[in-house]
């Protein structure tokens, strides 16, 4: 399967965006003082663990999607000499 350049750029941008958004979220989650992420004793809550798992899965998917986009951009194009 060959990806067009616009689709490849979109996939690469999606992967980068996913990392940016989830890194920001995890930083904010770690600094949470509202009581959602950590209880009064400072122990992680269910909210923390669920969102940490979501972030890890999103990092993995963002990486995979970004790599597909990068490979699409680096693939040789028909009609190009080189």
């Amino acid at each position: 399967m060959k990806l067009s350049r616009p689709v490849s750029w979109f996939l690469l941008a999606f992967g980068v965006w996913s990392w940016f958004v989830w890194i920001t979220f995890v930083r904010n989650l770690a600094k949470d003082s509202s009581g959602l992420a950590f209880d009064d004793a400072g122990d992680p809550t269910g909210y923390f663990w669920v969102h940490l798992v979501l972030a890890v899965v999103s990092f993995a998917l963002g990486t995979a999607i970004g790599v597909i986009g990068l490979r699409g951009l680096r693939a040789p194009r028909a009609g190009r000499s080189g």
Side-chain angles (χ1 to χ4, degrees), residues 47-74:
Y47 177 89
F48 174 86
W49 292 113
V50 166
H51 286 83
L52 186 62
V53 168
L54 285 172
V56 169
V57 169
S58 292
F59 288 141
L61 292 175
T63 300
I65 290 169
V67 166
I68 291 168
L70 185 61
R71 286 183 181 174
L73 289 172
R74 298 179 84 198

Side-chain angles (χ1 to χ4, degrees), residues 7 13 24-25 29 32-35 39 45 55-56 63 67 70 77 79 82:
V7 169
T24 302
F25 183 82
L29 185 65
D32 179 64
S33 61
S34 70
D39 62 16
T45 63
V56 169
T63 300
V67 166
L70 185 61
R77 301 286 170 207

Side-chain angles (χ1 to χ4, degrees), residues 2-34:
K2 293 185 180 183
L3 299 174
S4 68
R5 291 191 74 73
V7 169
S8 296
W9 276 112
F10 175 79
L11 293 175
L12 180 59
F14 179 86
V16 170
W17 178 253
S18 180
W19 270 83
F20 173 75
V21 167
W22 284 99
I23 284 174
T24 302
F25 183 82
V26 168
R27 283 183 184 160
N28 291 336
L29 185 65
K31 292 188 280 187
D32 179 64
S33 61
S34 70

